[in-house]
Amino acid sequence: MAKNILGNTIKVQRAKKDLTQEQLSELVGVTRTTINLIERRRFIPSTVIALKIAMAFGVPFEEVFFIDDPSQ
Amino acid sequence: MNSKIEKMNKMRRIVLKGMLAGWITLGIYLFHIPLLSLMRISSRKIAVYTNDVRPFLEASWIVGFVVLAVYIVIFLVYKIRLLKDSSVRSAVNDERVKLNWLRSYRIAFFTLLGITIFWKWFETGLGTNFLHMKIRLVEPPWIIWFSSILALIVSFLHYDRGVRE
């Protein structure tokens, strides 16, 4: 069974809002490295951080995060 | 321009790297007797330099102590700055950083366990037959503390390195 990965559209959302990783990290209250690792799918954030990211973009949660199933 | 969070994050890495440098320098002093013995028994070419190297190895504790003291002061400045700003404090110690500390403590614990088991094996006499080093001249608790703290700092710096853009 293929492993599900938490996909995200952070890069797209950042481009839409013209935000750098550093600016987003300040809005969310985490380090830039954390944002970078979440964006690159190397770190799965907690629900709180994920919700804060969605709130920073002003979009619903599911527009930023989704389950990325490689088998589909 | 770097934000305050990034500045503090960078400062922590600098402090940890400085402490690591100081700790390794202190480690050189800790292991200087076995190191010198190893030099003496390795080959005649290297053995000639034993007396030249000895003062540097013996002075390494002063260098290590000074470096460590300087970085402990910088660490205190870092902590005071963090205490003044709670939002920066929570951002610098976000969930990923806390997770990295936990992983590092786990590695340090297993290092401690591994070294202790190795030392017990070494003390039975089997080790001395295999390794003709005067490592027994170093106090066991120092070796255990040295390696576990080294493992803690190195593993945290490794986990916290992030990825290049």
Side-chain angles (χ1 to χ4, degrees), chain B residues 53-145:
Chain B
V53 173
R54 183 193 292 273
F56 291 104
L57 292 180
E58 283 177 351
S60 64
W61 80 268
I62 303 169
V63 180
F65 184 76
V66 169
V67 171
L68 212 56
V70 166
Y71 280 96
I72 284 171
V73 171
I74 300 172
F75 176 73
L76 290 174
V77 172
Y78 162 82
K79 276 285 175 190
I80 290 164
R81 278 189 195 171
L82 278 189
L83 280 173
K84 284 178 185 169
D85 200 333
S86 61
S87 62
V88 174
R89 188 173 64 220
S90 63
V92 166
N93 294 313
D94 64 20
E95 58 186 43
R96 186 188 56 84
V97 175
K98 281 178 186 166
L99 185 74
N100 287 345
W101 275 121
L102 273 176
R103 290 156 100 187
S104 308
Y105 279 123
R106 189 172 57 186
I107 285 177
F109 169 72
F110 283 116
T111 308
L112 189 144
L113 210 66
I115 300 278
T116 313
I117 291 166
F118 174 77
W119 197 262
K120 274 287 144 202
W121 167 75
F122 200 81
E123 280 197 331
T124 56
L126 290 167
T128 38
N129 292 334
F130 284 118
L131 305 159
H132 300 285
M133 291 196 315
K134 288 182 181 175
I135 202 157
R136 298 184 79 159
L137 291 171
V138 186
E139 286 288 315
W142 283 111
I143 296 179
I144 294 164
W145 293 343

Side-chain angles (χ1 to χ4, degrees), chain A residues 21-47:
Chain A
Q21 285 185 345
E22 203 167 318
Q23 286 166 333
L24 179 63
S25 75
E26 274 186 80
L27 289 172
V28 178
V30 293
T31 59
R32 192 196 59 82
T33 316
T34 305
I35 293 292
N36 182 262
L37 291 171
I38 295 169
E39 196 175 293
R40 285 167 181 262
R41 304 174 184 199
R42 298 271 186 97
F43 176 70
I44 299 170
S46 68
T47 320

Side-chain angles (χ1 to χ4, degrees), chain B residues 3-43:
Chain B
S3 69
K4 202 173 179 188
I5 299 167
E6 283 316 296
K7 276 182 188 167
M8 297 308 280
N9 197 32
K10 211 173 262 181
M11 193 175 174
R12 175 175 53 203
R13 283 190 72 82
I14 291 167
V15 167
L16 285 173
K17 280 178 185 172
M19 281 183 173
L20 184 67
W23 195 246
I24 289 170
T25 319
L26 276 179
I28 292 171
Y29 178 73
L30 183 69
F31 290 103
H32 85 282
I33 297 171
L35 268 172
L36 288 170
S37 310
L38 204 67
M39 278 180 80
R40 253 183 245 116
I41 59 165
S42 55
S43 77

